[in-house]
Amino acid sequence: MVTKFTKTQIKPLLIAILILIAARSRSYADGFPLRPHSLLLSPSVSYFYANKGWDSVRHLTPFPNNGHFSSLTYQLYAEYGLSRRFTLVALLPYSMNTYQQDGYKSTASGLTDVETGIRYYIANIDYRFYFMVQGTLITPLYNNPNLGYGETGAELRFSFAGRGHVFDKNCFFSIENGFRQYFGSTGPFQDRYNGTFGLTIDKKFQNQLSISVGGFYSISDFKTFSPSPVVGKDFDFNQVSLSYGHSFNRQFSIFLTGGKFINGRNTGDGTSASISVVLKPF
């Protein structure tokens, strides 16, 4: 059976697709190198919800007909230290997405975009401050337009990270900026940026709190909403997130994070929560 979309259904549905693409683009680049021949694994699960969106002139309105979008995403991130300067990275996500409004429901699930890349640590200052560059290849693993752009892309990311002391507490920070290009006929160019500041809050260095402020700026010749798979390519948003982390030992840590979009254009007003585990088997 072929589903017929009304005008009021198409726009929020495509906004929802855009929300998915934006929200799942979590950055794992903390900017600090791994030891050579060591492995880091980080499985995570995140939930995202929105029932309002910003239009092209940044007006925030509810989705029509009690519409709302939700996404449950599982991710596995891996990083392996090749040497003191080079590490390999990979990210594999699986998403389950739902957009629903009165009399209509759309669902999609599956593997999305796998990301593989290599990091190079350009320089350091006293082994406390690090400068890093990363090249990443984005490869789609799906044909369903409700799971993403479905286009190959590449990203070049820069990072500056460091450690220090504030108010007798150990602190850390990272500043990242990534430039991504998708290679379709109207593939967007995107600027993804993020800054994080955190504190270790106990003497045993087991607990930490951090705050992140970041955003996403995407430009494309494709500026209108359409039921085409190449959707949601011209937009921007900013978000803030808070995170708590606990290290049980050197090999096992857990992180809880909550995030909120604070403004945007052609995107949804999203709220997110996630839990992730960091494992260092060797």
Side-chain angles (χ1 to χ4, degrees), residues 168-186:
D168 264 347
K169 300 290 185 182
N170 288 282
C171 70
F172 61 92
F173 72 88
S174 67
I175 302 170
E176 294 185 342
N177 202 352
F179 302 99
R180 179 172 295 202
Q181 178 69 60
Y182 289 89
F183 301 129
S185 59
T186 57

Side-chain angles (χ1 to χ4, degrees), residues 9 16 133 164 273:
Q9 290 172 337
V133 61

Side-chain angles (χ1 to χ4, degrees), residues 27-85:
S27 172
Y28 285 83
D30 60 7
F32 297 100
L34 282 181
R35 295 192 309 273
H37 311 299
S38 61
L39 176 67
L40 182 150
L41 296 173
S42 181
S44 65
V45 58
S46 60
Y47 178 76
F48 187 89
Y49 178 86
N51 59 6
K52 296 181 290 185
W54 286 281
D55 62 18
S56 60
V57 292
R58 302 184 182 275
H59 290 157
L60 180 63
T61 56
F63 290 158
N65 302 320
N66 299 312
H68 58 272
F69 172 75
S70 62
S71 175
L72 186 65
T73 300
Y74 301 92
Q75 295 188 131
L76 177 62
Y77 172 78
E79 182 175 352
Y80 179 74
L82 294 174
S83 67
R84 290 184 178 273
R85 289 187 178 267

Side-chain angles (χ1 to χ4, degrees), residues 102-123:
D102 295 341
Y104 172 77
K105 184 177 182 179
S106 172
T107 61
S109 62
L111 294 171
T112 57
D113 293 322
V114 62
E115 300 184 11
T116 53
I118 187 166
R119 293 181 180 175
Y120 175 63
Y121 289 88
I122 303 170

Side-chain angles (χ1 to χ4, degrees), residues 9-25:
Q9 290 172 337
I10 289 174
K11 184 171 181 177
L13 176 59
L14 300 182
I15 292 177
I17 297 169
L18 168 60
I19 294 170
L20 166 67
I21 295 169
R24 76 177 184 213
S25 303

Side-chain angles (χ1 to χ4, degrees), residues 80-100:
Y80 179 74
L82 294 174
S83 67
R84 290 184 178 273
R85 289 187 178 267
F86 287 96
T87 63
L88 295 176
V89 296
L91 175 65
L92 180 64
Y94 181 95
S95 291
M96 297 181 289
N97 317 311
T98 301
Y99 179 79
Q100 186 171 358

